[in-house]
Amino acid sequence: MNWKWLLTSGEPRPRYVLLVAIGVVLMMSLTYPIWYPGGPGMAAFAAVSAIVISHVSAKLIMRQ
């Protein structure tokens, strides 16, 4: 696996940022019933997970 490709932001950057932002908002809104009762620790974990999933999704979308 090409780790450099996975760990760097996508090109062109505005499209990458838009895809990641939409992904994070979507993931956080879908998982709201799970992380809200869990408190700040669970919210932080959900936010980091949403960012990672959105990053990978954006990279795969932009690769096509």
Side-chain angles (χ1 to χ4, degrees), residues 10-33:
E11 296 293 338
R13 292 186 193 273
R15 184 176 174 207
Y16 167 77
V17 170
L18 181 65
L19 287 171
V20 171
I22 290 171
V24 169
V25 169
L26 185 66
M27 292 290 295
M28 291 302 286
S29 62
L30 288 175
T31 59
Y32 178 78

Side-chain angles (χ1 to χ4, degrees), residues 3-10 16 19-21 23-24 48-62:
W3 288 100
K4 183 180 180 194
W5 171 82
L6 185 62
L7 296 176
T8 57
S9 61
Y16 167 77
L19 287 171
V20 171
V24 169
V48 170
S49 299
I51 290 169
V52 169
I53 292 170
S54 297
H55 167 73
V56 171
S57 298
K59 293 291 283 194
L60 292 175
I61 290 170
M62 291 183 69

